[in-house]
């Protein structure tokens, strides 16, 4: 059975694996932040942490964990009976800025298993020479306070995977189901999902074991 289309946007329940066709990149963060990660094809990603709180990091233990992908993969405890008061910031805003030379292709927030295509189609990248489209997968990371303060080996690291996303596929699925044919099938033989207003509707025929897409 084909993978459900929104699976790529959900957080994984197990350690993130490198998808087929992606190139894995793992680096230690020994030069501090921002940190540049070369992806290939003239594209690189810059890991940044915009906080504006320099004094806070100067008085923090260099080995204190600032952010880690283990928090995304850990089991969630049951919510307390009395919710705690809201916090100003739940987690630090670590981001990957994907660039081709000096051109910014997109920004990817660090979340374990997140896949993001940069750039997405839109008017912001429709002018000038066509940029290289890449798809980035966040595999994992570990950031200590000493790395935020400056260079040094504090055990911080980041793991990504990437691939070019501007090439046509050589795999094709079945044609879409005609809406009039769909309505003639009994409700027991069909399943339908809408991802949102104006989004694709995924229609699944139980008898043929084939998922079809109606645009």
């Amino acid at each position: 059975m084909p993978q459900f289309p929104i699976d790529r946007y959900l957080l994984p329940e197990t350690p993130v694996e490198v998808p087929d066709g992606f190139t894995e990149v793992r680096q230690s963060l020994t030069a501090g932040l921002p940190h540049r990660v070369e992806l290939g094809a003239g594209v690189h990603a810059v890991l940044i942490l915009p906080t504006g709180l320099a004094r806070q990091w100067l008085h923090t233990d260099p080995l204190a964990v600032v952010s880690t992908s283990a928090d995304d993969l850990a089991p969630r405890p049951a919510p307390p009976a009395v919710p705690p008061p809201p916090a100003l910031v739940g987690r630090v805003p670590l981001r990957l800025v994907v660039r081709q030379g000096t051109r910014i292709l997109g920004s990817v927030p660090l979340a374990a298993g997140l896949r993001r295509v940069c750039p997405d189609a839109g008017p912001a990248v429709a002018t000038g020479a066509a940029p290289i489209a890449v798809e980035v997968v966040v595999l994992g990371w570990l950031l200590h306070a000493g790395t935020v303060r400056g260079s040094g080996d504090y055990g911080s690291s980041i793991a990504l995977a990437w691939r070019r996303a501007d090439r046509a596929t050589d795999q094709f699925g079945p044609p879409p189901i005609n809406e009039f044919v769909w309505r003639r099938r009994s409700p027991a033989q069909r399943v339908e999902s809408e991802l949102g207003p104006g989004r694709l509707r995924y229609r699944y025929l139980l008898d043929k074991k084939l998922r079809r897409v109606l645009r």
Side-chain angles (χ1 to χ4, degrees):
M1 180 182 299
Q3 186 181 28
F4 195 68
I6 67 170
D7 281 349
R8 62 188 302 177
Y9 300 108
L10 303 178
L11 293 180
E13 298 181 356
T14 57
V16 184
E17 298 181 354
V18 181
D20 294 337
F22 282 74
T23 300
E24 183 178 1
V25 180
R26 294 183 178 270
Q27 290 187 0
S28 298
L29 308 180
T30 57
L33 296 182
H35 178 82
R36 175 167 171 155
V37 181
E38 295 292 343
L39 300 180
V43 179
H44 65 274
V46 180
L47 178 63
I48 61 173
L49 176 59
T51 64
L53 303 173
R55 180 172 297 180
Q56 169 187 338
W57 302 114
L58 293 176
H59 297 284
T60 303
D61 182 1
L63 297 181
V65 176
V66 176
S67 180
T68 175
S69 57
D71 293 339
D72 287 347
L73 302 175
R76 299 297 182 188
V82 179
L88 181 61
V89 177
R91 58 190 291 173
V92 294
L94 273 172
R95 306 189 71 84
L96 284 167
V97 179
V98 182
R99 305 196 304 179
Q100 178 185 355
T102 58
R103 168 184 283 176
I104 296 178
L105 301 181
S107 179
V108 182
L110 254 63
L114 178 65
R115 294 175 62 166
R116 180 69 55 85
V117 176
C118 301
D120 55 358
V125 296
T127 59
I132 296 177
V134 297
E135 185 174 10
V136 178
V137 181
V138 180
L139 301 178
W141 73 91
L142 175 61
L143 179 65
H144 293 277
T147 304
V148 181
R149 291 167 48 178
S151 60
D153 189 359
Y154 299 99
S156 302
S157 62
I158 186 171
L160 308 172
W162 76 281
R163 69 172 178 178
R164 291 193 62 162
D166 55 358
R167 298 173 180 174
T169 181
D170 58 355
Q171 299 180 359
F172 303 91
I177 300 174
N178 185 280
E179 184 173 358
F180 297 101
V181 175
W182 174 264
R183 294 183 184 278
R184 294 175 60 183
R185 308 302 293 268
S186 65
Q189 295 180 333
R190 65 193 190 196
V191 177
E192 182 176 17
S193 295
E194 285 194 21
L195 300 183
R199 303 290 296 276
L200 294 180
R201 288 185 296 174
Y202 290 87
R203 294 179 167 179
Y204 180 60
L205 293 180
L206 299 180
D207 58 340
K208 293 186 177 181
K209 303 299 182 181
L210 291 175
R211 180 176 293 135
R212 308 288 183 91
V213 181
L214 176 67
R215 295 183 181 276

